[in-house]
Amino acid sequence: MKFKRVVVTGGAGFIGANYVHYALNVHTDWQIVVLDKLTYAGNLENLESVMDQIEFIQGDITNPVDVHRALRGADAVLNFAAESHVDRSLMDPSVFVRTNVEGTLVLLEAARKEGVKRFLQVSTDEVYGDLHGSDHHSLETDPFRPRSPYSASKAGAEHLVFAYGISYGMDVVVTRGSNTYGPYQYPEKIIPLFITNALEGRPLPLYGDGSAVRDYMHAQDHASGIDTVLHLGASGEAYNLGAREQISGVQVADAILAALGKPSSLKRFVVDRPGHDYRYSVDPSKAEALGWVRRYSFGQGLRETIEWYMQNRGWWQRVRAKKEHQSLMQAWYEQR
Ligand code: NAD
């Protein structure tokens, strides 16, 4: 499948920006339109080096006027735009439903009216819910058991995407990526939070006993997986994207502290997240069968990511100085 004009919503966020950088390298003939509201998580610095190669529209995916403006003449839409932080969804779920569910609906409706060729929804392995106590790896055919407002809103969005495929014959595909890390990740998420806290000599907050495991995947591997599904995925299908890793919070903290030569005493065990999911793990065989190949082991990906945060102190220090970041840290961690 070939595309010329591609809309990337949420392209100023973490994975969206990684995808834009990836796509500009491999699809040199593409016109890329980024539609992004620039919420607390959106950052134009993430696109600074490529601004002259893309069209940037500041707009909201829940606003049909913004969405139609971005989608005019487009042949593919990749929907990365979302409220993405589970802890924030526990504090204020309503914006998660607005952006993640209603925003996806507005995009689908506009894509249908504008005759977009393919719609790709960036979803998450969290729709499968907690796999604690089993050694199962989630398959695309498994039922949804979302347990946080964030994962419930992502599951709701997926249902709409598949409904548009069936009801209106739209060509839709979905990716369900695992926990992702890499450059440009907002420092509320575990890996950049731990790296930046460690660099400043602050404690690394671990939920409960820190044993919850995630399948950490590098953002460039996530980007290449999305691109593979965009081009080769079968219409109406979902594809798991994961790294076949099982890494606990304590292992993440230990690896970061060791790499930075910081003391283990910086680990701080805090009251667990309510309804915390202890294990996610996907079987990515279906995407691998399309020819998707990951480049990063966790060790190499983490080393490069730590290096990036060390070399880009200004980027994260500016983010951390903002009110939105400080109020989350105070409201969420200082009570625990
Ligand atoms: P992020 O929070 O870093 O970025 C989200 C981007 O969306 C920001 O640029 C923000 O400004 C934009 N945005 C938010 N609301 C918007 C709206 N109403 N209209 C337009 N733009 C809006 O998120 P991320 O970590 O890059 O995640 C991107 C996507 O990948 C999300 O859909 C998320 O659910 C999914 N995902 C994330 C992970 C992960 O580990 N981070 C894993 C699997 C899937």
Side-chain angles (χ1 to χ4, degrees), residues 10-16 35-43 59-62 79-84 99 122-125 150 154 177-180 185-186 188-189 222:
F14 162 50
I15 306 174
L35 173 66
D36 198 298
K37 186 178 177 180
L38 299 180
T39 66
Y40 79 93
N43 188 345
D60 189 329
I61 61 165
T62 67
N79 183 25
F80 292 82
E83 287 294 332
S84 67
T99 289
V122 179
S123 190
T124 165
D125 63 354
Y150 164 68
K154 294 297 288 185
S178 65
N179 276 61
T180 304
Q185 187 167 28
Y186 192 91
E188 65 192 352
K189 308 282 176 18
H222 198 161

